[in-house]
Amino acid sequence: MKRSAELAPALAAAARTVAGVAAGRSLSDAMERRAEHQADSMRGAQTDLCYGTLRSYGRVQAIVGALSRKGAGEPRLQALLWCALYALDSGRYAPYTVVDQAVRAAGLLELWPARGYVNGLLRTCLRERDTLERRIAADPQARYRHPLWWIEAVQRDFPQDWRAVLAEGNTHPPMSLRVNRRRTTTAAYAERLAAEGIAAQSIGEAALLLAKAVPVERLPGFAAGDVSVQDAGAQRAAALLDLAPGQRVLDACAAPGGKSAHILETADVSLTALDADAARAARIDAGLARLGLSASVRAADCTALDSWWDGRPFERILADVPCSGSGVARRHPDIKWLRRAQDLPAFARRQAAILDALWFALAPGGKLLYVTCSMFAEENGAVVDSFCARTPQARRVALPGGAPAQLLPGPEHDGFFFALLEKAA
């Protein structure tokens, strides 16, 4: 059991953050607004409460709904109850501690009249736990901890595996490293980790899966550029591009820059990296500098060719397009609750526009790798099939090594989709 000394302020801070997400703000933005004013120990507790609550959002909402007679209520009060219920479920604290500290947190939020309500609802939850579990089991959002439209989309696209896919979406994501093989070998770096007491296993040419997540400050040689943090699924992109020395390569939607760096670590190519957001494009430069790599980085919309393209075609293009993020939702649990079903057609239209524009910049005989971090067919195979149907020069080819097009979230990687398109010579 964890110590309770800082649980009340952590619950109060988490309630403010989760209330912001419930109002439509992204979790990362809401966390950044508060991180500057917190001690490291409380920041860790708040992070756990925020991420855990949002992974369990459908469940904790249903419990409060079943027990409350006050309706929706004050947003921070609702969020405090959700966070406290997650804390009870987590088993990290004694139940009486959570109740006591949640009441204290209500005071810190200046919700003094609600302290008795918080105390009563949480005690009722503990007393009637078995009855509550039976009541909410009939609610799919509570049972599977995803929005109903998301559940239905997964059922439609993965009729045999949908329960496992949803369950995986509620787990903690793995932490994988990408070894910079221009500086060391994967085996040698694994030995350096072992010497620091960090257990890891090799799961790819440059990929190491950590047994337990650690701060980057503990990774030997991180600041010097010997290693990067990158999901093992994302690391597949560089290999699937079929890179060769001397090629002109475009990473069209490059921020934060992990795939760009991996491309440069893999082959001596001339890389152009774009991102429409200037602040995000700046992060690409910073990441490459840490690794001792360089590229032509531009802040530009890849579909506006006149603003960035010099007319010389690229032999390889990576189109890691904007998408719903459904394959990485366990890493960003607010995605599940901020996305709407109508977002998928909007993403598909943007993805189609990107493919149409980039095709002009691809050399005859060149290859374009279409990538999403989505599981939904509407953003994946449907977009690619439609593009190939309207583009006579486009041919979808098998992925190197017989790699699967769709990766589902699992113990070793997040969810991704890959399609390799070749332009007729």
Side-chain angles (χ1 to χ4, degrees):
M1 295 291 177
K2 287 195 173 185
R3 295 170 59 187
S4 64
E6 294 185 335
L7 181 55
L11 280 167
R16 294 187 184 98
T17 301
V18 172
V21 173
R25 185 181 302 159
S26 78
L27 178 57
S28 59
D29 287 348
M31 292 285 288
E32 285 175 11
R33 289 170 183 257
R34 306 195 178 278
E36 299 175 0
H37 310 292
Q38 296 172 339
D40 288 345
S41 58
M42 195 182 88
R43 192 179 306 137
Q46 182 201 348
T47 298
D48 173 65
L49 288 167
C50 288
Y51 278 79
T53 298
L54 290 169
R55 288 192 184 103
S56 299
Y57 195 45
R59 171 181 168 81
V60 295
Q61 275 190 316
I63 293 174
V64 172
L67 293 178
S68 176
R69 297 188 180 94
K70 293 192 173 186
E74 210 275 356
R76 292 174 304 156
L77 175 58
Q78 290 288 104
L80 173 60
L81 292 169
W82 299 335
C83 292
L85 288 169
Y86 162 70
L88 286 173
D89 279 347
S90 74
R92 292 184 174 90
Y93 309 92
Y96 69 86
T97 297
V98 174
V99 175
D100 173 70
Q101 295 294 298
V103 172
R104 291 174 183 267
L108 294 174
L109 292 167
E110 300 183 353
L111 299 171
W112 294 291
R115 288 179 295 179
Y117 169 64
V118 170
N119 180 70
L121 187 142
L122 295 177
R123 289 185 179 278
T124 300
C125 175
L126 290 170
R127 188 170 59 250
E128 301 179 4
R129 177 63 65 94
D130 292 343
T131 302
L132 273 172
E133 294 294 345
R134 288 193 294 270
R135 286 178 65 182
I136 67 172
D139 180 350
Q141 291 194 156
R143 183 175 180 181
Y144 298 111
R145 306 181 195 189
H146 287 72
L148 185 59
W149 74 266
W150 190 302
I151 295 170
E152 292 171 347
V154 172
Q155 289 174 327
R156 180 183 64 244
D157 292 344
F158 307 100
Q160 303 302 317
D161 305 313
W162 66 271
R163 288 184 179 85
V165 171
L166 293 173
E168 198 66 45
N170 295 323
T171 63
H172 286 267
M175 182 174 181
S176 295
L177 308 180
R178 187 190 72 244
V179 176
N180 185 352
R181 291 185 297 156
R182 289 186 178 272
R183 300 198 173 196
T184 185
T185 66
T186 307
Y189 191 79
E191 291 179 0
R192 292 171 66 184
L193 289 176
E196 297 292 331
I198 301 173
Q201 67 177 102
S202 176
I203 55 171
E205 289 187 355
L208 291 170
L209 176 67
L210 300 189
K212 183 179 180 181
V214 300
V216 294
E217 295 81 8
R218 284 197 58 200
L219 299 174
F222 179 84
D226 294 345
V227 71
S228 300
V229 178
Q230 187 181 36
D231 185 77
Q235 292 185 42
R236 299 193 179 196
L240 296 177
L241 275 168
D242 188 24
L243 298 167
Q247 289 176 335
R248 278 174 50 81
V249 179
L250 171 67
D251 187 351
C253 309
K259 295 183 182 70
S260 286
H262 196 193
I263 288 169
L264 292 168
E265 291 171 2
T266 301
D268 292 315
V269 300
S270 174
L271 179 69
T272 298
L274 307 178
D275 200 86
D277 186 304
R280 285 169 56 83
R283 292 176 60 191
I284 302 172
D285 270 324
L288 294 179
R290 180 181 65 84
L291 296 163
L293 304 169
S294 62
S296 174
V297 178
R298 301 279 300 275
D301 181 344
C302 66
T303 64
L305 297 182
D306 292 344
S307 71
W308 63 268
W309 187 40
D310 62 7
R312 292 187 296 157
F314 294 92
E315 284 105 349
R316 297 289 184 271
I317 295 179
L318 173 60
D320 186 8
V321 297
C323 68
S324 65
S326 56
V328 297
R330 60 184 178 177
R331 209 172 284 279
H332 306 282
D334 53 322
I335 286 176
K336 293 189 293 188
W337 308 103
L338 295 178
R339 292 279 185 257
R340 299 292 182 265
Q342 57 266 33
D343 293 337
L344 299 188
F347 278 120
R349 288 191 294 272
R350 175 63 176 164
Q351 292 153 357
I354 290 172
L355 282 176
D356 288 338
L358 294 179
W359 200 249
F360 286 103
L362 184 65
K367 295 177 181 178
L368 181 152
L369 183 66
Y370 176 86
V371 181
T372 75
C373 54
S374 174
M375 303 181 296
F376 299 137
E378 189 171 349
E379 302 177 274
N380 295 338
V383 171
V384 172
D385 291 345
S386 179
F387 174 76
C388 290
R390 67 177 179 270
T391 312
Q393 287 182 302
R395 181 173 69 96
R396 184 173 177 180
V397 297
L399 296 173
Q406 181 71 68
L407 285 183
L408 294 174
E412 295 185 355
H413 52 71
D414 288 332
F416 291 90
F417 176 82
F418 304 93
L420 190 61
L421 303 175
E422 187 174 57
K423 192 172 189 177

